[in-house]
């Protein structure tokens, strides 16, 4: 079965979906509202499931070549004590790969380069679709309209298409946490590939990259909309007495490089990931908190799963039924687990609760962390064809 598709959104999930659809012989147009497909953002960790999805889409080797494996690190206290160690070698033995770290901009560029430039339409926003036709979807664009056999709504956590297709759904909710993050301007001497440090209602973490630079992030309990005139200065006040290399990471960062976003999620699960001939994908379908590092990985799974369903089913309708049945339970389960991880991790603020959690982590068997990652990362991609 071949056809034509419009992918709304040129982020990681949208580009991956377009790659998958082209692999199975579909004609694809990616519509992105930004005036330029700028390769921006901080960093990202990719677990085995995300890498396996990229392998199925034919871009896994390129991503691995640009990424840095995360073999060492773990979770610490603000004073530097270890709560749990990460064993990347054990994950590699179990899954065939460790977690890898890569700048989000690099991943975005590699996905974009896997598509012909002519299939990308930038500077055009899609706010609605016409689903009144039984065998096609009409997509209004700035310079007219496009008819397609399928529309993929990959337009992010604030998806306008989701709001149009599911008007009774409450939409995204503020998680209670805000995140500031950046990539250092130059390489930083790091003893580990990846770390998280948990304090009272706060988390600071880093991901080391192949070129020696690092991404860092600071997640804080906060009312929504709070911003700082000098974000780096505010972070130095908040984390200045935390262990090395946190001060060094902040010192290696340009003030204008700091990104600040409130974290929103779909607390109320969607009743379906499809509506007629529209498939929701990535954050538009299941926006989750970043506590498990699974947001992008689930979007990549969606892309591979959608392509496999369309390749393996006789009709678009049956393919979308299969996509919903396969992707919705898994991704919504991961979203619930991410929310719970945040509540017992970064968001925890009561001193007694923090002490109890820290004691439990220190006493846990060494394989506990590996098993926790395997629970979500051990996923096998469907065959595309």
């Amino acid at each position: 079965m071949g056809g034509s598709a419009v992918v709304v959104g040129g982020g990681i999930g949208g580009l991956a979906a377009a790659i998958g659809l082209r692999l199975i012989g579909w004609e694809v147009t990616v519509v992105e509202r930004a005036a330029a497909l700028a390769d921006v953002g901080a960093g990202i960790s990719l677990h085995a499931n995300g890498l396996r999805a990229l392998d199925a889409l034919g871009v896994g080797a390129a991503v691995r070549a640009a990424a840095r494996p995360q073999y060492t690190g773990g979770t610490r206290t603000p004073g530097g004590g270890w709560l749990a160690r990460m064993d990347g070698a054990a994950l590699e033995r179990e899954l065939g790969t460790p977690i890898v770290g890569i700048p989000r901009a690099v991943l975005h560029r590699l996905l974009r380069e896997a598509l012909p430039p002519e299939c990308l339409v930038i500077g055009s926003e899609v706010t609605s679709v016409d689903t009144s036709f039984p065998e096609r979807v009409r997509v209004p664009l700035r310079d007219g309209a496009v008819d397609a056999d399928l529309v993929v709504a990959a337009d992010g956590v604030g998806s306008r298409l989701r709001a149009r297709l599911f008007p009774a759904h409450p939409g995204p909710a503020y998680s209670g946490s805000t995140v500031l993050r950046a990539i250092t301007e130059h390489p930083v001497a790091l003893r580990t590939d990846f770390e998280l440090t948990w304090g009272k209602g706060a988390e600071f973490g880093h991901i080391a990259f192949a070129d020696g630079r690092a991404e860092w992030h600071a997640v804080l309990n906060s009312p929504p909309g709070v911003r700082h005139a000098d974000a780096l200065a505010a972070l130095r006040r908040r984390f200045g007495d935390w262990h090395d290399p946190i001060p060094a990471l902040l010192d290696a960062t340009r003030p204008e490089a700091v990104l600040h976003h409130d974290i929103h999620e779909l607390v109320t699960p969607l009743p379906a990931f499809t509506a007629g001939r529209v498939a929701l994908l990535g954050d538009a379908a299941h926006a989750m908190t970043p506590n498990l590092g699974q947001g992008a990985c689930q979007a990549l799974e969606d892309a591979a799963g959608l392509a496999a369903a369309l390749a393996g089913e006789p009709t678009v309708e049956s393919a979308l039924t299969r996509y919903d049945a396969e992707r919705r339970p898994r991704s919504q389960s991961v979203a619930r687990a991410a929310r719970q991880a945040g509540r017992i991790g970064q968001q925890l603020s009561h001193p007694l609760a923090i002490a109890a959690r820290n004691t439990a982590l220190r006493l846990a068997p060494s394989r506990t962390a590996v098993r926790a990652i395997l629970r979500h990362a051990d996923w096998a991609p469907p065959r595309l064809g």
Side-chain angles (χ1 to χ4, degrees):
M1 176 181 62
S4 63
V6 173
V7 177
V8 180
I12 289 171
L15 293 177
I19 293 169
L21 291 172
R22 282 181 53 81
L23 278 176
I24 63 171
W26 280 57
E27 296 180 4
V28 183
T29 300
V30 180
V31 182
E32 167 58 43
R33 67 180 179 179
L37 280 175
D39 298 323
V40 296
I44 189 170
S45 290
L46 292 173
H47 292 243
N49 55 317
L51 290 168
R52 289 172 177 175
L54 289 165
D55 288 336
L57 297 171
V59 292
V63 171
R64 284 184 172 87
R68 173 169 167 168
Q70 297 176 7
Y71 285 112
T72 60
T75 306
R76 305 175 74 175
T77 67
W82 288 98
L83 297 175
R85 300 266 189 173
M86 181 183 73
D87 190 344
L91 283 174
E92 188 170 38
R93 289 191 298 271
E94 294 276 0
L95 298 172
T97 179
I99 302 169
V100 303
I102 189 171
R104 184 176 290 269
V106 174
L107 176 58
H108 190 271
R109 174 176 56 79
L110 292 172
L111 293 173
R112 180 168 47 80
E113 290 176 349
L115 295 167
E118 60 269 20
C119 82
L120 303 174
V121 176
I122 61 175
S124 186
E125 186 171 13
V126 177
T127 60
S128 65
V129 293
D130 184 352
T131 58
S132 61
F133 308 97
E135 295 185 356
R136 69 182 190 275
V137 185
R138 178 158 291 171
V139 183
L141 299 177
R142 181 182 55 195
D143 299 323
V146 174
D147 286 344
D149 299 301
L150 171 71
V151 168
V152 180
D155 51 343
V157 60
S159 171
R160 292 192 177 188
L161 291 185
R162 181 187 62 230
R164 290 294 186 96
L165 296 168
F166 296 94
H169 189 271
Y174 180 54
S175 67
S177 299
T178 192
V179 59
L180 296 93
R181 51 195 165 194
I183 295 177
T184 60
E185 185 177 11
H186 52 75
V188 180
L190 299 171
R191 296 183 178 179
T192 59
D193 301 316
F194 169 84
E195 285 184 15
L196 292 178
T197 300
W198 284 339
K200 182 180 178 181
E203 170 185 299
F204 196 101
H206 76 250
I207 302 169
F209 294 145
D211 63 3
R213 295 181 303 154
E215 183 259 15
W216 57 260
H217 71 264
V219 188
L220 302 163
N221 292 350
S222 170
V226 175
R227 295 295 182 268
H228 306 281
D230 187 336
L232 269 182
L235 291 171
R236 288 191 178 100
R237 289 192 295 270
R238 181 67 177 81
F239 297 101
D241 60 348
W242 286 30
H243 65 80
D244 293 331
I246 291 172
L249 289 165
L250 296 175
D251 288 343
T253 303
R254 291 180 292 109
E256 61 270 24
V258 180
L259 305 173
H260 190 175
H261 298 98
D262 292 338
I263 300 171
H264 290 80
E265 59 171 327
L266 290 188
V267 176
T268 302
L270 281 175
F273 282 2
T274 62
R277 286 175 171 252
V278 181
L280 279 75
L281 182 146
D283 283 349
H286 47 68
M288 62 188 69
T289 63
N291 303 93
L292 295 178
Q294 277 288 334
C297 292
Q298 291 302 307
L300 294 169
E301 284 189 22
D302 291 346
L306 178 62
L310 290 164
E313 294 293 328
T315 66
V316 171
E317 291 81 2
S318 62
L320 293 185
T321 297
R322 171 177 157 182
Y323 169 75
D324 181 64
E326 291 177 349
R327 294 302 310 145
R328 184 158 51 91
R330 172 167 165 79
S331 59
Q332 290 179 345
S333 173
V334 173
R336 289 193 298 272
R339 187 180 311 121
Q340 181 61 26
R343 288 173 177 169
I344 65 172
Q346 171 266 316
Q347 291 188 326
L348 209 60
S349 60
H350 193 284
L352 292 179
I354 291 172
R357 177 203 62 200
N358 291 356
T359 299
L361 285 174
R362 290 191 181 101
L363 295 176
S366 59
R367 276 191 54 82
T368 300
V370 172
R371 286 198 300 268
I373 294 172
L374 290 175
R375 188 175 302 122
H376 307 297
D378 193 7
W379 170 86
R383 294 186 61 183
L384 273 63

